[in-house]
Amino acid sequence: MGDSFGDFAIFKQPAIIRLSYHKRTGKCVSVDTKVIRMDEQHIDREMLLEAGDIIKAGGLVAFPTETVYGLGGDALNPASSRKIYEAKGRPSDNPLIVHIADLEALDAIVREVPPEAEKLAEAFWPGPLTMILHKSDLVPYETTGGLDTVAVRMPVHKVAREFIRAAGGYVAAPSANRSGRPSPTVAKYVAEDMDGRIEMIIDGGDVEIGLESTIVDLTVPEPMILRPGYITKKMLEEVLSRVEEDCTLMRADSGQAPKAPGMKYRHYAPKGDLTIISGAEEAVIEYINEQLERQRLAGKKTGVIGTDKTIGKYHADVCKSAGNREKENTIAKELYRILREFDDESVEVIYSEAFDASGIGQAIMNRLLKAAGHKVIEIK
Ligand code: TXA
Ligand code: MG
């Protein structure tokens, strides 16, 4: 086990964790971040026990899931949750998702399991679905951002599940990015944001889905989607006859606050100024090229997000294809990587084609709209 990795021997050494503390505040300022590698076919239980010990001792470990990388800490330890907020630079009113590996673990952290939750768990767990339920006293308010409800997810990724078991069964994990940056879909981006802030990164290669889990609130009279993801409304409605949607998901002008606290922040934002252009294909291409010329004359570095079919028609400094419209899963998987690459290449102005907001396309457009601060131009 593990022999297939040429450089694996070095990971077998015991973890050396060096922490520095700020003299006045006592806060942790720098950590040696150890990176270990394993994928679902090569699980190294010894290394995962070490990762689990870090969590049990109150430290932080980033790990792969099928959606995006998570930044894990002990969900039942208030100090660990505080550390997560600090490492991410995240406002502490934005609650964390508690990750479990086995259904038996659910009872202890929730007040009750309603029949809808049982049905959804049977249909979609383990997998990319998060359920909001009433929390039990075991879950500290530090983890739930002061709420009486708790978000719970059981990932399907084998490394994630073995790691959660090794860590004691309850791992609080937001996406492993600094607050406001796109969620990481490869370990390289976790390291970019978290190096020196957390004790360990488990590099499990590329994630499968690339967008965060669907969140469904089961503490309200009608189950409600608070964040769209790979599990779509239609899929949920095959299990529960009726599912509502938070009306703020696709609109900036609803005048209401999103029901998932984290959705109110301008997440997933690239550093460049992003605008979405929607309309008929040829008209969109023509409009974007006009804007690109204007920005070029103003001395700006420009970028475009198009598709395999259209990308060759744009005259930007950096052109990126999100994939094929007929295979929306490929677009979901590429989106965050593309947004980060525009940052790496210091692109200042970005135009993106719009995507069909049905199925997983809704999750793609929800994230893209947030990245663009809801700036959309419709070409008639
Ligand atoms: O796919 C995922 O869900 C990833 C991976 C790592 O599992 N995690 C993730 O976590 O996306 P995070 O923290 O980036 O997003 C969690 C979202 C936030 O928008 C937060 O406000 C919402 O879930 N949330 C958590 N607890 C909640 C609660 N009790 N009520 C309403 N929203 C909640
Ligand atoms: Mg996040």
Side-chain angles (χ1 to χ4, degrees):
M1 202 171 293
D3 291 336
S4 58
F5 295 112
D7 50 353
F8 207 74
I10 57 161
F11 303 135
K12 294 274 186 188
Q13 291 163 8
I16 304 164
I17 303 165
R18 274 193 293 275
L19 306 177
S20 321
Y21 293 90
H22 192 277
K23 280 204 186 90
R24 191 170 47 77
T25 62
K27 282 189 173 174
C28 184
V29 287
S30 174
V31 181
D32 277 349
T33 304
K34 179 171 171 168
V35 180
I36 64 169
R37 262 178 240 157
M38 76 183 75
D39 56 35
E40 293 186 271
Q41 282 72 48
H42 304 92
I43 303 254
D44 185 322
R45 292 206 163 71
E46 214 177 295
M47 285 312 311
L48 288 180
L49 285 178
E50 190 185 311
D53 285 344
I54 293 173
I55 299 289
K56 287 177 180 164
L60 304 182
V61 175
F63 62 101
T65 82
E66 67 276 20
T67 56
V68 297
Y69 275 77
L71 171 57
D74 181 353
L76 307 184
N77 179 351
S80 298
S81 293
R82 281 196 293 269
K83 265 194 192 169
I84 291 178
Y85 289 115
E86 204 180 304
K88 269 186 74 90
R90 171 171 179 158
S92 57
D93 69 343
N94 187 359
L96 308 174
I97 296 176
V98 179
H99 293 66
I100 58 174
D102 301 283
L103 201 53
E104 298 76 60
L106 182 62
D107 280 346
I109 54 168
V110 299
R111 222 166 59 198
E112 58 180 348
V113 181
E116 293 88 351
E118 269 175 34
K119 285 188 199 160
L120 291 181
E122 193 174 320
F124 301 114
W125 275 3
L129 177 74
T130 296
M131 290 193 241
I132 310 287
L133 297 163
H134 290 289
K135 81 172 193 72
S136 75
D137 291 341
L138 198 61
V139 185
Y141 282 112
E142 281 79 357
T143 299
T144 66
L147 299 175
D148 285 315
T149 55
V150 60
V152 191
R153 168 158 124 77
M154 191 198 295
V156 69
H157 198 290
K158 284 202 186 83
V159 174
R161 293 178 75 193
E162 286 295 326
F163 161 65
I164 294 164
R165 288 188 187 116
Y170 300 100
V171 173
S175 47
N177 50 290
R178 289 276 294 163
S179 200
R181 302 268 286 149
S183 299
T185 50
V186 288
K188 180 179 94 167
Y189 293 140
V190 178
E192 222 174 81
D193 282 15
M194 292 297 158
D195 193 30
R197 295 173 172 272
I198 63 176
E199 280 79 5
M200 185 184 269
I201 297 171
I202 305 174
D203 179 350
D206 288 5
V207 300
E208 213 180 302
I209 296 174
L211 295 178
E212 305 85 345
S213 61
T214 306
I215 302 181
V216 180
D217 189 353
L218 295 172
T219 66
V220 287
E222 292 285 354
M224 182 181 277
I225 299 173
L226 306 190
R227 180 174 73 182
Y230 182 84
I231 309 286
T232 60
K233 184 166 191 278
K234 191 160 163 268
M235 289 158 81
L236 293 166
E237 279 174 342
E238 278 164 20
V239 178
L240 310 176
S241 45
R242 224 186 119 106
V243 179
E244 310 263 307
E245 253 171 348
D246 182 351
C247 65
T248 66
L249 292 183
M250 309 305 279
R251 291 170 43 195
D253 60 354
S254 64
Q256 290 185 30
K259 299 203 165 39
M263 298 292 276
K264 71 175 177 266
Y265 298 105
R266 186 178 169 233
H267 262 190
Y268 323 115
K271 291 175 189 150
D273 187 36
L274 171 65
T275 309
I276 302 166
I277 314 296
S278 84
E281 190 176 287
E282 284 308 319
V284 166
I285 294 169
E286 194 185 320
Y287 178 85
I288 290 181
N289 276 330
E290 278 166 23
Q291 298 309 309
L292 290 170
E293 179 60 12
R294 206 169 56 81
Q295 298 292 352
R296 200 182 58 77
L297 291 172
K300 300 279 189 201
K301 185 163 182 184
T302 57
V304 166
I305 304 176
T307 60
D308 292 349
K309 185 172 164 222
T310 59
I311 200 69
K313 299 182 181 168
Y314 291 109
H315 312 301
D317 296 314
V318 182
C319 291
K320 302 227 178 252
S321 168
N324 183 335
R325 279 181 192 278
E326 272 72 63
K327 293 188 202 142
E328 284 182 319
N329 287 351
T330 62
I331 299 178
K333 199 167 160 171
E334 296 302 315
L335 183 64
Y336 286 154
R337 180 183 59 74
I338 288 176
L339 293 177
R340 283 204 179 234
E341 283 176 0
F342 281 129
D343 285 356
D344 295 344
E345 295 177 56
S346 305
V347 175
E348 296 168 277
V349 184
I350 308 160
Y351 296 96
S352 176
E353 294 179 10
F355 297 94
D356 185 14
S358 64
I360 184 146
Q362 189 192 14
I364 296 169
M365 271 314 277
N366 167 265
R367 307 310 196 271
L368 198 57
L369 283 165
K370 276 154 66 65
H374 284 269
K375 257 188 292 149
V376 185
I377 295 174
E378 277 182 48
I379 310 292
K380 297 281 182 231

